[in-house]
């Protein structure tokens, strides 16, 4: 899924980068980014298909690979249809029949 990412890198410099999501889920997803970020930072991400933008928090910074950092991100505010994918509801273990 193509996205545009806006934010500030670890050096406080503004950046704008076009990339693709590696994976998405109901809580956020992962992507590879050339800009160096740190855990806890917020970024603005635009879904290039829908042109909708949402704020995300970096929750994981992986290793540098092929000049890009692998990042895990989560929504700062819930966004039920941001990815335009229907995710099944989470089933609690309390209701699971054994």
């Amino acid at each position: 899924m193509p996205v545009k990412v806006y934010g500030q890198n670890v050096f406080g410099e503004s950046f704008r980068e076009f990339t693709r999501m590696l994976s998405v889920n109901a809580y956020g997803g992962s992507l590879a980014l050339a800009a160096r970020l740190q855990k806890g930072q917020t970024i603005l991400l635009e879904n290039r298909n829908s042109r909708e933008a949402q704020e995300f928090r970096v929750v994981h910074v992986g290793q540098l690979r092929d000049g890009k950092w692998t990042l895990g991100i989560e929504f700062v505010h819930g966004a039920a249809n941001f990815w335009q994918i229907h995710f099944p509801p989470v089933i609690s273990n309390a209701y699971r029949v054994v």
Side-chain angles (χ1 to χ4, degrees), residues 4-97:
K4 187 180 344 179
V5 184
Y6 302 88
Q8 290 187 333
N9 64 21
V10 294
F11 307 107
E13 301 165 330
S14 295
F15 73 90
R16 178 185 70 188
E17 189 172 332
F18 294 90
T19 190
R20 297 184 72 78
M21 295 301 298
L22 300 173
S23 67
V24 297
N25 61 49
Y27 307 102
S30 66
L31 70 157
L33 206 59
R36 186 171 181 186
L37 304 179
Q38 63 187 2
K39 188 175 177 179
Q41 275 188 263
T42 57
I43 55 176
L44 186 66
L45 194 132
E46 178 186 309
N47 178 333
R48 295 191 62 212
N49 293 332
S50 68
R51 301 291 188 231
E52 182 182 354
Q54 285 290 327
E55 190 175 21
F56 286 82
R57 180 179 303 106
V58 176
V59 294
H60 174 77
V61 178
Q63 296 193 26
L64 182 64
R65 185 173 174 177
D66 298 325
K68 293 193 175 194
W69 300 92
T70 303
L71 303 173
I73 58 173
E74 69 179 3
F75 290 105
V76 171
H77 309 287
N81 199 30
F82 184 73
W83 303 123
Q84 299 182 330
I85 298 172
H86 174 73
F87 295 100
V90 176
I91 299 173
S92 171
N93 287 338
Y95 299 106
R96 186 170 20 153
V97 177

